[in-house]
Amino acid sequence: MDGEIVGVSLELLGAGRRLADKMNAPLAGFMLGHNVESLAKTCFEYGADIVYMIDDPLLTDYRSETYMKGTVDLCNKYKPEMILYGATPNGKDLSSAVATELATGLTADCTMLDVNAEQRLLEASRPAFGGNIMATILCKNHRPQMATVRSKVMKALERQVGRTGQIIHETLGMHEKDLQTRVLEIVRETSQRVKLDEAHIIVAGGKGLGDAKGFQLCYDLAEVINASVGATRDAVEAGWIDHHYQIGQTGVTVTPKIYFAIAISGAVQHIVGMQNSEFIIAINKDPNAAIHNVATYSIVGDAFEVVPKLIEAFKKAVKGGEKVHV
């Protein structure tokens, strides 16, 4: 996108490398775009052995018909066993179109990926039945096996500067006059809203805060420690905060250095959106709340008693450099 490889693609190269090594198979990336030859180097440095490339002016902007044609042609010629897509708007559109054209399966919004090397089956896992269980989905009878994964769910490999691989060039074989769509204008997002998936510290609140007034605790703590605010689906649906700040399976996936989970019970659909945070600090008066199972540190207590004390302690630390004892 805009001459750069989006982060989720590098993360999927990391996941793909692990699966390919288990299957003793090469890891390939496919790259569609215009003037993208130089980006192949990045793919190799993040784990790819091969890059299948279609470079064509018709691929300058994303259009379903051009990108589907290129991807399907590559699949028909090179017969990949598995394809992983980023669950971006374009990735979701492309993967579903390709799955329909190739009459194969597609597992969306996976949170875990593994492989049965003996049977050469992709084990794609995701929450199901409202997030109450984790389902592992197999595509036994059709190829390629395909899955989409959201940003920040997987981890990219450490970059190996200088690592190289093989580039295989193919052609698109389409003409502008044959296309049914035209890109008239690209409208960029102009909001200055902080992107949660890029935040280093997040203070998230759940339904245990009771109401919008109670949710204000999250804003108060976030202001002191210069953090971003997030929420569970329940808090969003209650109208306490905009849906852009929803974290979880039906929201955004985040990996901050510090994640404060305030009055959050720990439903599976929320956990999958924040479980890869470096430090998780849970504040919940229920000692049996599921959030404690993923927390680095747990504070069992009433958020309306604990959080104000944290705020005061952090204020002192910010002003005078005092040590904070929690």
Side-chain angles (χ1 to χ4, degrees), residues 226-240:
N226 194 28
S228 299
V229 174
T232 63
R233 184 174 66 183
D234 289 325
V236 170
E237 291 180 346
W240 305 343

Side-chain angles (χ1 to χ4, degrees), residues 30 48 71 107 157-158 192 238:
F30 66 96
T71 304
T107 306
L157 298 175
E158 193 73 28
Q192 297 302 310

